Amino acid sequence: MTRASETASGTRGGSAGLSTEGLPGWLQPVVRVVETVQPVQLSRFLPPENGAGRQSAVLVLFGQGECGPELLLMERASSLRSHAGQPSFPGGALDPEDGDPQGEGPLRAALREAEEETGLDPGGVQLFGALPRLYIPVSEFVVTPVLGWWREPSPVGVVDPAETARVFTVPVADLTDPDNRATTVHPSGHRGPAFLVESALVWGFTAGVIDRLLHYAGWERPWDRAKQVPLDWRS
């Protein structure tokens, strides 16, 4: 998949090119993660070797907020068929207009979906890399996490209540705070990292990506992995 040293052409509303030029110094550990991390270091759920799965992308957008570095998240509408009510990164399935799924498509899709879901102005986003593709078995999505720097912040909020319940930012300091960390336990037996921030329980795929980024960027602080949050069968 595209890495920070490669480039891509433009997308509707802004450029989908990748560049690390001019990034704030605190993002450099994340750039190193993009350049070095292997798929198995991020998740045990990797895309099927037969190519099955629906190609999609999410935007992992870092900004500079009043409380320091922060991430943009949204809460999915409770009426959606997949991952209803869950906090997540903006994103969704690739459209034909996004282009080649093996090339520039995920970059364009991440920006397009973020604009459609949060009202974000893609022109103010500098994409600087993409993580290896990961897999969400329950929805059969093959997801490319696309990383961006919110170089010129724009107003964001709910665009379509049928898709999005709310849009919010979370300080990285809150995500690394041991008091805000826990392990979710699904009735199926699956366990995974979680974050209790901004009146939300961030878990599943989104929490997994955040957890691995914090770990490999060297930002993770020791936390109590025995602290559990149970999930129900509807999750």
Side-chain angles (χ1 to χ4, degrees):
M1 183 50 205
T2 313
R3 293 297 176 113
S5 61
E6 298 174 349
T7 59
S9 58
T11 187
R12 181 173 61 86
S15 172
L18 295 182
S19 172
T20 59
E21 183 177 355
L23 293 179
W26 58 263
L27 264 179
Q28 292 308 312
V30 180
V31 173
R32 288 194 291 271
V33 174
V34 171
E35 294 173 341
T36 62
V37 75
Q38 299 300 310
V40 294
Q41 294 177 298
L42 295 175
S43 176
R44 63 188 179 93
F45 299 113
L46 302 180
E49 294 183 0
N50 63 4
R54 190 175 184 188
Q55 297 293 326
S56 63
V58 296
L59 180 63
V60 183
L61 183 60
F62 289 90
Q64 180 69 42
E66 295 181 358
C67 298
E70 62 185 14
L71 274 176
L72 177 68
L73 296 177
M74 53 173 272
E75 186 175 309
R76 295 169 59 83
S78 59
S79 58
L80 293 175
R81 289 187 301 172
S82 298
H83 312 291
Q86 291 186 23
S88 67
F89 300 117
L94 269 66
D95 284 347
E97 68 190 58
D98 295 323
D100 184 3
Q102 305 300 319
E104 304 165 2
L107 307 181
R108 292 195 176 102
L111 288 175
R112 175 182 55 76
E113 287 283 344
E115 181 180 14
E116 293 175 358
E117 293 176 331
T118 74
L120 173 80
D121 179 5
V125 175
Q126 177 180 337
L127 301 182
F128 63 87
L131 297 175
R133 290 180 177 84
L134 305 174
Y135 188 57
I136 304 180
V138 66
S139 56
E140 298 184 341
F141 278 116
V142 175
V143 186
T144 300
V146 178
L147 279 65
W149 160 238
W150 209 351
R151 187 184 64 251
E152 299 176 9
S154 56
V156 291
V158 174
V159 176
D160 183 356
E163 289 193 5
T164 308
R166 66 171 174 142
V167 177
F168 58 101
T169 57
V170 180
V172 171
D174 288 353
L175 294 167
T176 59
D177 186 339
D179 290 340
N180 297 335
R181 304 213 56 180
T183 298
T184 51
V185 183
H186 194 274
S188 65
H190 176 71
R191 296 169 179 259
F195 301 85
L196 297 98
V197 290
E198 301 296 325
S199 303
L201 174 64
V202 182
W203 64 284
F205 175 85
T206 302
V209 172
I210 295 173
D211 172 77
R212 294 296 80 194
L213 281 175
L214 296 180
H215 176 76
Y216 288 112
W219 294 346
E220 183 179 40
R221 297 166 58 190
W223 56 281
D224 183 6
R225 298 174 187 271
K227 178 182 176 181
Q228 298 183 356
V229 177
L231 301 171
D232 61 34
W233 282 109
R234 294 170 294 179
S235 300

